[in-house]
Amino acid sequence: MKAVLRSTFICCMRILRKLAAAIGLLGFLERRRANRWCLWLRSLFAIYDFEDLCRVDLPWWTLESADIIERFLKNRAAARVFEYGSGASTVWLANRAAEVISVEHDADWAAEVQDALIAIGAHARVHCVPAQPASPNTDPRHRSARDGYEGLDFGTYVNSINDHEGRFDLIIIDGRCRAACLTPAIEKVKPDGLLLFDNSARQRYRRAIEGCGLARLDTRGLTACLPYPDQTTLLSPSSEVIAGLRS
């Protein structure tokens, strides 16, 4: 039922986008993107449309968390970013950070995002790290809970962050096996860095976040492309960093 509702909503927004473009509504909303409600409404027309969401220049997180991350990166000219799960957020980050490394399990999608990064001349790259068939020895944390991914082992994907030297100013957790990704991410974030954990209201993610021992800020409300509020959580080893995020 949930899949049917999602497909119906996407189809409706595709049809409405043509009408909105014809009557000038899309342009009107884009010119008023400084208004959060206008930006959110424009993003609804871009749901599951990579090129259009890149045009809107918005990651698929809560709008508040996007504002916070933008301010955070403005103060770090040489920011290094690691991202689990690529997409429009990769392009958005590439326009704001000195270096972006994204890991993606889907080869075709990784290639599409990489082509978009090349087109804008970004200092960013997408590494494809596909899942492997699971075995009896597969860590249960490395199995995705998403339908269609049963019987797969995402252990290499989860630990791919360790293939890169040094620590990161910002780590995005928005791909497969997010709860498992949090463990190596904590070891690779800078002491004054940030981790962004998307869709964090889900129960299996909430347990991981609450038990990780980091300071956190939950942002909930208007979310890009979604007709309902969602939650994105920001985490840091430094409570001072979290305290200063909304200032």
Side-chain angles (χ1 to χ4, degrees), residues 61 69 72 80-84 93 101 161 166-174 181-182 184-190 193-198 233-235:
W61 315 325
I69 294 300
F72 179 79
R80 298 184 72 220
V81 179
F82 186 91
E83 179 186 41
Y84 287 104
L93 289 163
I101 300 170
I161 192 171
R167 295 187 177 227
F168 295 90
D169 297 271
L170 174 65
I171 298 175
I172 309 297
I173 302 176
D174 195 14
C181 290
L182 182 57
I186 290 173
E187 297 298 321
K188 293 290 285 185
V189 70
K190 291 181 179 179
L194 278 179
L195 297 99
L196 181 147
F197 200 120
D198 199 25
T233 294
L234 303 173
L235 301 154

PDB file of all heavy atoms in Angstrom, residues 61 69 72 80-84 93 101 161 166-174 181-182 184-190 193-198 233-235:
ATOM      1  N   TRP A  61      17.188  16.384   2.524  1.00  0.00           N
ATOM      2  CA  TRP A  61      17.172  16.345   3.985  1.00  0.00           C
ATOM      3  C   TRP A  61      16.114  17.349   4.456  1.00  0.00           C
ATOM      4  O   TRP A  61      15.434  17.966   3.647  1.00  0.00           O
ATOM      5  CB  TRP A  61      18.530  16.760   4.569  1.00  0.00           C
ATOM      6  CG  TRP A  61      19.743  16.170   3.950  1.00  0.00           C
ATOM      7  CD1 TRP A  61      19.885  14.905   3.432  1.00  0.00           C
ATOM      8  CD2 TRP A  61      21.013  16.818   3.760  1.00  0.00           C
ATOM      9  NE1 TRP A  61      21.160  14.724   2.953  1.00  0.00           N
ATOM     10  CE2 TRP A  61      21.877  15.884   3.142  1.00  0.00           C
ATOM     11  CE3 TRP A  61      21.512  18.076   4.078  1.00  0.00           C
ATOM     12  CZ2 TRP A  61      23.205  16.177   2.814  1.00  0.00           C
ATOM     13  CZ3 TRP A  61      22.833  18.385   3.771  1.00  0.00           C
ATOM     14  CH2 TRP A  61      23.667  17.438   3.146  1.00  0.00           C
ATOM     15  N   ILE A  69      24.066  22.919   7.586  1.00  0.00           N
ATOM     16  CA  ILE A  69      25.263  22.378   6.932  1.00  0.00           C
ATOM     17  C   ILE A  69      25.883  23.408   5.999  1.00  0.00           C
ATOM     18  O   ILE A  69      27.116  23.518   5.907  1.00  0.00           O
ATOM     19  CB  ILE A  69      24.927  21.085   6.167  1.00  0.00           C
ATOM     20  CG1 ILE A  69      24.528  19.973   7.149  1.00  0.00           C
ATOM     21  CG2 ILE A  69      26.104  20.641   5.307  1.00  0.00           C
ATOM     22  CD1 ILE A  69      25.592  19.602   8.153  1.00  0.00           C
ATOM     23  N   PHE A  72      27.840  25.679   8.145  1.00  0.00           N
ATOM     24  CA  PHE A  72      28.998  24.941   8.655  1.00  0.00           C
ATOM     25  C   PHE A  72      30.111  24.879   7.612  1.00  0.00           C
ATOM     26  O   PHE A  72      31.288  25.127   7.925  1.00  0.00           O
ATOM     27  CB  PHE A  72      28.549  23.530   9.042  1.00  0.00           C
ATOM     28  CG  PHE A  72      29.642  22.636   9.564  1.00  0.00           C
ATOM     29  CD1 PHE A  72      30.085  22.744  10.870  1.00  0.00           C
ATOM     30  CD2 PHE A  72      30.208  21.661   8.750  1.00  0.00           C
ATOM     31  CE1 PHE A  72      31.083  21.908  11.357  1.00  0.00           C
ATOM     32  CE2 PHE A  72      31.204  20.823   9.222  1.00  0.00           C
ATOM     33  CZ  PHE A  72      31.646  20.951  10.532  1.00  0.00           C
ATOM     34  N   ARG A  80      36.560  18.544   4.058  1.00  0.00           N
ATOM     35  CA  ARG A  80      36.508  17.216   3.442  1.00  0.00           C
ATOM     36  C   ARG A  80      35.201  16.547   3.870  1.00  0.00           C
ATOM     37  O   ARG A  80      34.862  16.539   5.044  1.00  0.00           O
ATOM     38  CB  ARG A  80      37.678  16.331   3.882  1.00  0.00           C
ATOM     39  CG  ARG A  80      39.048  16.848   3.496  1.00  0.00           C
ATOM     40  CD  ARG A  80      40.105  15.821   3.917  1.00  0.00           C
ATOM     41  NE  ARG A  80      40.069  14.624   3.079  1.00  0.00           N
ATOM     42  CZ  ARG A  80      40.214  13.371   3.536  1.00  0.00           C
ATOM     43  NH1 ARG A  80      40.330  13.152   4.845  1.00  0.00           N
ATOM     44  NH2 ARG A  80      40.181  12.338   2.712  1.00  0.00           N
ATOM     45  N   VAL A  81      34.492  15.978   2.892  1.00  0.00           N
ATOM     46  CA  VAL A  81      33.198  15.365   3.157  1.00  0.00           C
ATOM     47  C   VAL A  81      33.203  13.925   2.660  1.00  0.00           C
ATOM     48  O   VAL A  81      33.683  13.641   1.556  1.00  0.00           O
ATOM     49  CB  VAL A  81      32.060  16.139   2.458  1.00  0.00           C
ATOM     50  CG1 VAL A  81      30.707  15.470   2.726  1.00  0.00           C
ATOM     51  CG2 VAL A  81      32.039  17.597   2.907  1.00  0.00           C
ATOM     52  N   PHE A  82      32.662  13.034   3.481  1.00  0.00           N
ATOM     53  CA  PHE A  82      32.426  11.660   3.058  1.00  0.00           C
ATOM     54  C   PHE A  82      30.930  11.411   3.132  1.00  0.00           C
ATOM     55  O   PHE A  82      30.265  11.833   4.089  1.00  0.00           O
ATOM     56  CB  PHE A  82      33.155  10.659   3.952  1.00  0.00           C
ATOM     57  CG  PHE A  82      33.057   9.236   3.462  1.00  0.00           C
ATOM     58  CD1 PHE A  82      34.013   8.714   2.602  1.00  0.00           C
ATOM     59  CD2 PHE A  82      32.004   8.419   3.850  1.00  0.00           C
ATOM     60  CE1 PHE A  82      33.914   7.410   2.136  1.00  0.00           C
ATOM     61  CE2 PHE A  82      31.892   7.117   3.384  1.00  0.00           C
ATOM     62  CZ  PHE A  82      32.847   6.607   2.528  1.00  0.00           C
ATOM     63  N   GLU A  83      30.409  10.713   2.124  1.00  0.00           N
ATOM     64  CA  GLU A  83      28.964  10.518   2.041  1.00  0.00           C
ATOM     65  C   GLU A  83      28.630   9.060   1.731  1.00  0.00           C
ATOM     66  O   GLU A  83      29.105   8.496   0.753  1.00  0.00           O
ATOM     67  CB  GLU A  83      28.392  11.423   0.943  1.00  0.00           C
ATOM     68  CG  GLU A  83      26.899  11.297   0.738  1.00  0.00           C
ATOM     69  CD  GLU A  83      26.409  12.106  -0.445  1.00  0.00           C
ATOM     70  OE1 GLU A  83      27.102  12.120  -1.488  1.00  0.00           O
ATOM     71  OE2 GLU A  83      25.333  12.714  -0.343  1.00  0.00           O
ATOM     72  N   TYR A  84      27.810   8.474   2.575  1.00  0.00           N
ATOM     73  CA  TYR A  84      27.214   7.169   2.277  1.00  0.00           C
ATOM     74  C   TYR A  84      25.898   7.400   1.542  1.00  0.00           C
ATOM     75  O   TYR A  84      24.939   7.921   2.107  1.00  0.00           O
ATOM     76  CB  TYR A  84      26.910   6.406   3.569  1.00  0.00           C
ATOM     77  CG  TYR A  84      28.088   5.846   4.330  1.00  0.00           C
ATOM     78  CD1 TYR A  84      28.554   6.469   5.490  1.00  0.00           C
ATOM     79  CD2 TYR A  84      28.718   4.669   3.917  1.00  0.00           C
ATOM     80  CE1 TYR A  84      29.606   5.937   6.218  1.00  0.00           C
ATOM     81  CE2 TYR A  84      29.782   4.126   4.648  1.00  0.00           C
ATOM     82  CZ  TYR A  84      30.218   4.766   5.786  1.00  0.00           C
ATOM     83  OH  TYR A  84      31.265   4.233   6.516  1.00  0.00           O
ATOM     84  N   LEU A  93      26.763  19.195  -2.173  1.00  0.00           N
ATOM     85  CA  LEU A  93      27.962  19.241  -1.336  1.00  0.00           C
ATOM     86  C   LEU A  93      29.193  19.638  -2.149  1.00  0.00           C
ATOM     87  O   LEU A  93      30.054  20.388  -1.671  1.00  0.00           O
ATOM     88  CB  LEU A  93      28.188  17.881  -0.681  1.00  0.00           C
ATOM     89  CG  LEU A  93      27.196  17.490   0.424  1.00  0.00           C
ATOM     90  CD1 LEU A  93      27.266  15.999   0.692  1.00  0.00           C
ATOM     91  CD2 LEU A  93      27.482  18.279   1.703  1.00  0.00           C
ATOM     92  N   ILE A 101      33.797  12.762  -1.175  1.00  0.00           N
ATOM     93  CA  ILE A 101      33.929  11.355  -1.536  1.00  0.00           C
ATOM     94  C   ILE A 101      32.611  10.681  -1.188  1.00  0.00           C
ATOM     95  O   ILE A 101      32.176  10.712  -0.038  1.00  0.00           O
ATOM     96  CB  ILE A 101      35.078  10.670  -0.778  1.00  0.00           C
ATOM     97  CG1 ILE A 101      36.412  11.349  -1.091  1.00  0.00           C
ATOM     98  CG2 ILE A 101      35.139   9.176  -1.120  1.00  0.00           C
ATOM     99  CD1 ILE A 101      37.553  10.886  -0.195  1.00  0.00           C
ATOM    100  N   ILE A 161      34.752   3.651   4.228  1.00  0.00           N
ATOM    101  CA  ILE A 161      35.289   4.930   4.706  1.00  0.00           C
ATOM    102  C   ILE A 161      36.721   4.772   5.209  1.00  0.00           C
ATOM    103  O   ILE A 161      37.527   5.714   5.159  1.00  0.00           O
ATOM    104  CB  ILE A 161      34.371   5.526   5.807  1.00  0.00           C
ATOM    105  CG1 ILE A 161      34.741   6.980   6.091  1.00  0.00           C
ATOM    106  CG2 ILE A 161      34.394   4.682   7.070  1.00  0.00           C
ATOM    107  CD1 ILE A 161      33.738   7.683   6.993  1.00  0.00           C
ATOM    108  N   GLY A 166      43.034   9.942   6.763  1.00  0.00           N
ATOM    109  CA  GLY A 166      42.635  11.163   7.458  1.00  0.00           C
ATOM    110  C   GLY A 166      41.193  11.148   7.901  1.00  0.00           C
ATOM    111  O   GLY A 166      40.442  10.193   7.670  1.00  0.00           O
ATOM    112  N   ARG A 167      40.818  12.238   8.557  1.00  0.00           N
ATOM    113  CA  ARG A 167      39.459  12.386   9.068  1.00  0.00           C
ATOM    114  C   ARG A 167      38.695  13.393   8.224  1.00  0.00           C
ATOM    115  O   ARG A 167      39.269  14.153   7.452  1.00  0.00           O
ATOM    116  CB  ARG A 167      39.484  12.821  10.534  1.00  0.00           C
ATOM    117  CG  ARG A 167      40.097  11.769  11.443  1.00  0.00           C
ATOM    118  CD  ARG A 167      39.952  12.149  12.909  1.00  0.00           C
ATOM    119  NE  ARG A 167      40.474  11.113  13.771  1.00  0.00           N
ATOM    120  CZ  ARG A 167      39.846  10.628  14.839  1.00  0.00           C
ATOM    121  NH1 ARG A 167      38.658  11.101  15.167  1.00  0.00           N
ATOM    122  NH2 ARG A 167      40.398   9.697  15.572  1.00  0.00           N
ATOM    123  N   PHE A 168      37.385  13.402   8.429  1.00  0.00           N
ATOM    124  CA  PHE A 168      36.506  14.244   7.623  1.00  0.00           C
ATOM    125  C   PHE A 168      35.816  15.297   8.486  1.00  0.00           C
ATOM    126  O   PHE A 168      35.480  15.050   9.646  1.00  0.00           O
ATOM    127  CB  PHE A 168      35.457  13.383   6.914  1.00  0.00           C
ATOM    128  CG  PHE A 168      36.037  12.437   5.901  1.00  0.00           C
ATOM    129  CD1 PHE A 168      36.419  11.155   6.265  1.00  0.00           C
ATOM    130  CD2 PHE A 168      36.242  12.838   4.592  1.00  0.00           C
ATOM    131  CE1 PHE A 168      36.975  10.280   5.346  1.00  0.00           C
ATOM    132  CE2 PHE A 168      36.789  11.977   3.655  1.00  0.00           C
ATOM    133  CZ  PHE A 168      37.160  10.694   4.036  1.00  0.00           C
ATOM    134  N   ASP A 169      35.611  16.458   7.884  1.00  0.00           N
ATOM    135  CA  ASP A 169      34.875  17.529   8.566  1.00  0.00           C
ATOM    136  C   ASP A 169      33.399  17.181   8.672  1.00  0.00           C
ATOM    137  O   ASP A 169      32.744  17.549   9.661  1.00  0.00           O
ATOM    138  CB  ASP A 169      35.020  18.852   7.789  1.00  0.00           C
ATOM    139  CG  ASP A 169      36.453  19.325   7.734  1.00  0.00           C
ATOM    140  OD1 ASP A 169      36.867  20.046   8.650  1.00  0.00           O
ATOM    141  OD2 ASP A 169      37.158  18.971   6.767  1.00  0.00           O
ATOM    142  N   LEU A 170      32.894  16.496   7.655  1.00  0.00           N
ATOM    143  CA  LEU A 170      31.468  16.179   7.598  1.00  0.00           C
ATOM    144  C   LEU A 170      31.289  14.794   6.996  1.00  0.00           C
ATOM    145  O   LEU A 170      31.918  14.467   5.984  1.00  0.00           O
ATOM    146  CB  LEU A 170      30.738  17.218   6.733  1.00  0.00           C
ATOM    147  CG  LEU A 170      29.260  16.978   6.433  1.00  0.00           C
ATOM    148  CD1 LEU A 170      28.420  17.030   7.712  1.00  0.00           C
ATOM    149  CD2 LEU A 170      28.748  18.010   5.416  1.00  0.00           C
ATOM    150  N   ILE A 171      30.449  13.994   7.632  1.00  0.00           N
ATOM    151  CA  ILE A 171      30.123  12.667   7.111  1.00  0.00           C
ATOM    152  C   ILE A 171      28.605  12.559   7.015  1.00  0.00           C
ATOM    153  O   ILE A 171      27.889  12.825   7.987  1.00  0.00           O
ATOM    154  CB  ILE A 171      30.684  11.548   8.013  1.00  0.00           C
ATOM    155  CG1 ILE A 171      32.218  11.630   8.054  1.00  0.00           C
ATOM    156  CG2 ILE A 171      30.234  10.176   7.503  1.00  0.00           C
ATOM    157  CD1 ILE A 171      32.852  10.636   9.019  1.00  0.00           C
ATOM    158  N   ILE A 172      28.128  12.182   5.836  1.00  0.00           N
ATOM    159  CA  ILE A 172      26.698  12.033   5.581  1.00  0.00           C
ATOM    160  C   ILE A 172      26.346  10.549   5.607  1.00  0.00           C
ATOM    161  O   ILE A 172      26.971   9.749   4.905  1.00  0.00           O
ATOM    162  CB  ILE A 172      26.317  12.622   4.204  1.00  0.00           C
ATOM    163  CG1 ILE A 172      26.856  14.053   4.039  1.00  0.00           C
ATOM    164  CG2 ILE A 172      24.811  12.549   4.002  1.00  0.00           C
ATOM    165  CD1 ILE A 172      26.305  15.052   4.998  1.00  0.00           C
ATOM    166  N   ILE A 173      25.355  10.187   6.378  1.00  0.00           N
ATOM    167  CA  ILE A 173      24.899   8.795   6.446  1.00  0.00           C
ATOM    168  C   ILE A 173      23.478   8.750   5.899  1.00  0.00           C
ATOM    169  O   ILE A 173      22.510   9.078   6.581  1.00  0.00           O
ATOM    170  CB  ILE A 173      24.961   8.258   7.891  1.00  0.00           C
ATOM    171  CG1 ILE A 173      26.395   8.359   8.425  1.00  0.00           C
ATOM    172  CG2 ILE A 173      24.460   6.821   7.954  1.00  0.00           C
ATOM    173  CD1 ILE A 173      26.549   7.943   9.881  1.00  0.00           C
ATOM    174  N   ASP A 174      23.373   8.359   4.622  1.00  0.00           N
ATOM    175  CA  ASP A 174      22.085   8.428   3.929  1.00  0.00           C
ATOM    176  C   ASP A 174      22.004   7.337   2.857  1.00  0.00           C
ATOM    177  O   ASP A 174      21.485   7.556   1.773  1.00  0.00           O
ATOM    178  CB  ASP A 174      21.902   9.817   3.305  1.00  0.00           C
ATOM    179  CG  ASP A 174      20.463  10.079   2.890  1.00  0.00           C
ATOM    180  OD1 ASP A 174      19.580   9.321   3.304  1.00  0.00           O
ATOM    181  OD2 ASP A 174      20.236  11.052   2.139  1.00  0.00           O
ATOM    182  N   CYS A 181      26.832   1.945   9.528  1.00  0.00           N
ATOM    183  CA  CYS A 181      27.762   2.958   9.020  1.00  0.00           C
ATOM    184  C   CYS A 181      28.162   3.948  10.105  1.00  0.00           C
ATOM    185  O   CYS A 181      29.249   4.547  10.043  1.00  0.00           O
ATOM    186  CB  CYS A 181      27.143   3.710   7.846  1.00  0.00           C
ATOM    187  SG  CYS A 181      26.958   2.740   6.335  1.00  0.00           S
ATOM    188  N   LEU A 182      27.302   4.128  11.086  1.00  0.00           N
ATOM    189  CA  LEU A 182      27.580   5.098  12.138  1.00  0.00           C
ATOM    190  C   LEU A 182      28.844   4.745  12.916  1.00  0.00           C
ATOM    191  O   LEU A 182      29.610   5.647  13.298  1.00  0.00           O
ATOM    192  CB  LEU A 182      26.386   5.191  13.088  1.00  0.00           C
ATOM    193  CG  LEU A 182      26.468   6.204  14.229  1.00  0.00           C
ATOM    194  CD1 LEU A 182      26.714   7.609  13.701  1.00  0.00           C
ATOM    195  CD2 LEU A 182      25.182   6.164  15.067  1.00  0.00           C
ATOM    196  N   PRO A 184      31.894   3.115  12.027  1.00  0.00           N
ATOM    197  CA  PRO A 184      33.159   3.593  11.450  1.00  0.00           C
ATOM    198  C   PRO A 184      33.175   5.094  11.215  1.00  0.00           C
ATOM    199  O   PRO A 184      34.241   5.728  11.261  1.00  0.00           O
ATOM    200  CB  PRO A 184      33.277   2.816  10.133  1.00  0.00           C
ATOM    201  CG  PRO A 184      31.886   2.411   9.796  1.00  0.00           C
ATOM    202  CD  PRO A 184      31.197   2.204  11.105  1.00  0.00           C
ATOM    203  N   ALA A 185      32.000   5.686  10.985  1.00  0.00           N
ATOM    204  CA  ALA A 185      31.944   7.133  10.756  1.00  0.00           C
ATOM    205  C   ALA A 185      32.399   7.905  11.987  1.00  0.00           C
ATOM    206  O   ALA A 185      33.092   8.923  11.873  1.00  0.00           O
ATOM    207  CB  ALA A 185      30.522   7.542  10.365  1.00  0.00           C
ATOM    208  N   ILE A 186      32.033   7.426  13.164  1.00  0.00           N
ATOM    209  CA  ILE A 186      32.443   8.103  14.403  1.00  0.00           C
ATOM    210  C   ILE A 186      33.961   8.126  14.523  1.00  0.00           C
ATOM    211  O   ILE A 186      34.553   9.116  14.994  1.00  0.00           O
ATOM    212  CB  ILE A 186      31.808   7.401  15.624  1.00  0.00           C
ATOM    213  CG1 ILE A 186      30.296   7.655  15.640  1.00  0.00           C
ATOM    214  CG2 ILE A 186      32.433   7.887  16.930  1.00  0.00           C
ATOM    215  CD1 ILE A 186      29.549   6.866  16.694  1.00  0.00           C
ATOM    216  N   GLU A 187      34.607   7.066  14.073  1.00  0.00           N
ATOM    217  CA  GLU A 187      36.071   6.991  14.152  1.00  0.00           C
ATOM    218  C   GLU A 187      36.752   7.885  13.126  1.00  0.00           C
ATOM    219  O   GLU A 187      37.919   8.246  13.301  1.00  0.00           O
ATOM    220  CB  GLU A 187      36.525   5.546  13.960  1.00  0.00           C
ATOM    221  CG  GLU A 187      36.032   4.583  15.027  1.00  0.00           C
ATOM    222  CD  GLU A 187      36.556   4.942  16.408  1.00  0.00           C
ATOM    223  OE1 GLU A 187      37.730   5.343  16.512  1.00  0.00           O
ATOM    224  OE2 GLU A 187      35.775   4.835  17.386  1.00  0.00           O
ATOM    225  N   LYS A 188      36.023   8.273  12.072  1.00  0.00           N
ATOM    226  CA  LYS A 188      36.651   9.027  10.980  1.00  0.00           C
ATOM    227  C   LYS A 188      36.257  10.502  10.937  1.00  0.00           C
ATOM    228  O   LYS A 188      36.758  11.249  10.097  1.00  0.00           O
ATOM    229  CB  LYS A 188      36.281   8.375   9.640  1.00  0.00           C
ATOM    230  CG  LYS A 188      36.884   6.986   9.449  1.00  0.00           C
ATOM    231  CD  LYS A 188      38.394   7.033   9.247  1.00  0.00           C
ATOM    232  CE  LYS A 188      38.744   7.509   7.868  1.00  0.00           C
ATOM    233  NZ  LYS A 188      40.205   7.450   7.605  1.00  0.00           N
ATOM    234  N   VAL A 189      35.367  10.941  11.828  1.00  0.00           N
ATOM    235  CA  VAL A 189      34.999  12.350  11.843  1.00  0.00           C
ATOM    236  C   VAL A 189      35.990  13.114  12.714  1.00  0.00           C
ATOM    237  O   VAL A 189      36.503  12.593  13.703  1.00  0.00           O
ATOM    238  CB  VAL A 189      33.553  12.540  12.355  1.00  0.00           C
ATOM    239  CG1 VAL A 189      33.432  12.248  13.838  1.00  0.00           C
ATOM    240  CG2 VAL A 189      33.040  13.939  12.025  1.00  0.00           C
ATOM    241  N   LYS A 190      36.261  14.350  12.345  1.00  0.00           N
ATOM    242  CA  LYS A 190      37.160  15.182  13.141  1.00  0.00           C
ATOM    243  C   LYS A 190      36.534  15.488  14.505  1.00  0.00           C
ATOM    244  O   LYS A 190      35.313  15.483  14.633  1.00  0.00           O
ATOM    245  CB  LYS A 190      37.466  16.488  12.399  1.00  0.00           C
ATOM    246  CG  LYS A 190      38.324  16.307  11.156  1.00  0.00           C
ATOM    247  CD  LYS A 190      38.612  17.642  10.483  1.00  0.00           C
ATOM    248  CE  LYS A 190      39.502  17.462   9.257  1.00  0.00           C
ATOM    249  NZ  LYS A 190      39.775  18.759   8.586  1.00  0.00           N
ATOM    250  N   GLY A 193      34.058  17.966  14.060  1.00  0.00           N
ATOM    251  CA  GLY A 193      33.291  17.762  12.844  1.00  0.00           C
ATOM    252  C   GLY A 193      31.840  17.402  13.108  1.00  0.00           C
ATOM    253  O   GLY A 193      31.383  17.375  14.247  1.00  0.00           O
ATOM    254  N   LEU A 194      31.128  17.111  12.014  1.00  0.00           N
ATOM    255  CA  LEU A 194      29.709  16.782  12.093  1.00  0.00           C
ATOM    256  C   LEU A 194      29.402  15.505  11.324  1.00  0.00           C
ATOM    257  O   LEU A 194      30.051  15.202  10.305  1.00  0.00           O
ATOM    258  CB  LEU A 194      28.866  17.901  11.490  1.00  0.00           C
ATOM    259  CG  LEU A 194      28.534  19.134  12.323  1.00  0.00           C
ATOM    260  CD1 LEU A 194      27.698  20.105  11.484  1.00  0.00           C
ATOM    261  CD2 LEU A 194      27.768  18.742  13.577  1.00  0.00           C
ATOM    262  N   LEU A 195      28.407  14.783  11.820  1.00  0.00           N
ATOM    263  CA  LEU A 195      27.809  13.699  11.077  1.00  0.00           C
ATOM    264  C   LEU A 195      26.340  14.052  10.856  1.00  0.00           C
ATOM    265  O   LEU A 195      25.677  14.548  11.771  1.00  0.00           O
ATOM    266  CB  LEU A 195      27.892  12.371  11.831  1.00  0.00           C
ATOM    267  CG  LEU A 195      29.277  11.823  12.127  1.00  0.00           C
ATOM    268  CD1 LEU A 195      29.683  12.163  13.558  1.00  0.00           C
ATOM    269  CD2 LEU A 195      29.316  10.315  11.928  1.00  0.00           C
ATOM    270  N   LEU A 196      25.855  13.804   9.655  1.00  0.00           N
ATOM    271  CA  LEU A 196      24.443  14.005   9.356  1.00  0.00           C
ATOM    272  C   LEU A 196      23.811  12.644   9.117  1.00  0.00           C
ATOM    273  O   LEU A 196      24.272  11.884   8.271  1.00  0.00           O
ATOM    274  CB  LEU A 196      24.274  14.907   8.133  1.00  0.00           C
ATOM    275  CG  LEU A 196      22.827  15.217   7.716  1.00  0.00           C
ATOM    276  CD1 LEU A 196      22.727  16.622   7.120  1.00  0.00           C
ATOM    277  CD2 LEU A 196      22.277  14.201   6.704  1.00  0.00           C
ATOM    278  N   PHE A 197      22.778  12.328   9.877  1.00  0.00           N
ATOM    279  CA  PHE A 197      22.091  11.044   9.793  1.00  0.00           C
ATOM    280  C   PHE A 197      20.660  11.329   9.352  1.00  0.00           C
ATOM    281  O   PHE A 197      19.869  11.887  10.103  1.00  0.00           O
ATOM    282  CB  PHE A 197      22.109  10.357  11.163  1.00  0.00           C
ATOM    283  CG  PHE A 197      21.866   8.878  11.121  1.00  0.00           C
ATOM    284  CD1 PHE A 197      22.816   7.988  11.587  1.00  0.00           C
ATOM    285  CD2 PHE A 197      20.679   8.375  10.627  1.00  0.00           C
ATOM    286  CE1 PHE A 197      22.595   6.619  11.558  1.00  0.00           C
ATOM    287  CE2 PHE A 197      20.439   7.009  10.587  1.00  0.00           C
ATOM    288  CZ  PHE A 197      21.410   6.123  11.060  1.00  0.00           C
ATOM    289  N   ASP A 198      20.333  10.928   8.112  1.00  0.00           N
ATOM    290  CA  ASP A 198      19.029  11.282   7.564  1.00  0.00           C
ATOM    291  C   ASP A 198      17.963  10.255   7.926  1.00  0.00           C
ATOM    292  O   ASP A 198      18.260   9.099   8.226  1.00  0.00           O
ATOM    293  CB  ASP A 198      19.113  11.424   6.046  1.00  0.00           C
ATOM    294  CG  ASP A 198      17.956  12.218   5.485  1.00  0.00           C
ATOM    295  OD1 ASP A 198      17.366  13.035   6.218  1.00  0.00           O
ATOM    296  OD2 ASP A 198      17.637  12.036   4.293  1.00  0.00           O
ATOM    297  N   THR A 233      19.113  14.157  11.758  1.00  0.00           N
ATOM    298  CA  THR A 233      19.852  14.410  12.989  1.00  0.00           C
ATOM    299  C   THR A 233      21.304  14.764  12.696  1.00  0.00           C
ATOM    300  O   THR A 233      21.944  14.147  11.842  1.00  0.00           O
ATOM    301  CB  THR A 233      19.802  13.175  13.914  1.00  0.00           C
ATOM    302  OG1 THR A 233      18.446  12.981  14.337  1.00  0.00           O
ATOM    303  CG2 THR A 233      20.670  13.359  15.148  1.00  0.00           C
ATOM    304  N   LEU A 234      21.810  15.767  13.398  1.00  0.00           N
ATOM    305  CA  LEU A 234      23.205  16.168  13.313  1.00  0.00           C
ATOM    306  C   LEU A 234      23.914  15.724  14.585  1.00  0.00           C
ATOM    307  O   LEU A 234      23.406  15.942  15.690  1.00  0.00           O
ATOM    308  CB  LEU A 234      23.316  17.673  13.129  1.00  0.00           C
ATOM    309  CG  LEU A 234      22.573  18.221  11.901  1.00  0.00           C
ATOM    310  CD1 LEU A 234      22.589  19.740  11.901  1.00  0.00           C
ATOM    311  CD2 LEU A 234      23.170  17.674  10.622  1.00  0.00           C
ATOM    312  N   LEU A 235      25.081  15.121  14.429  1.00  0.00           N
ATOM    313  CA  LEU A 235      25.844  14.557  15.548  1.00  0.00           C
ATOM    314  C   LEU A 235      27.264  15.091  15.520  1.00  0.00           C
ATOM    315  O   LEU A 235      27.802  15.397  14.454  1.00  0.00           O
ATOM    316  CB  LEU A 235      25.889  13.027  15.444  1.00  0.00           C
ATOM    317  CG  LEU A 235      24.557  12.284  15.431  1.00  0.00           C
ATOM    318  CD1 LEU A 235      24.691  10.959  14.711  1.00  0.00           C
ATOM    319  CD2 LEU A 235      24.071  12.064  16.848  1.00  0.00           C
TER     320      LEU A 235
END
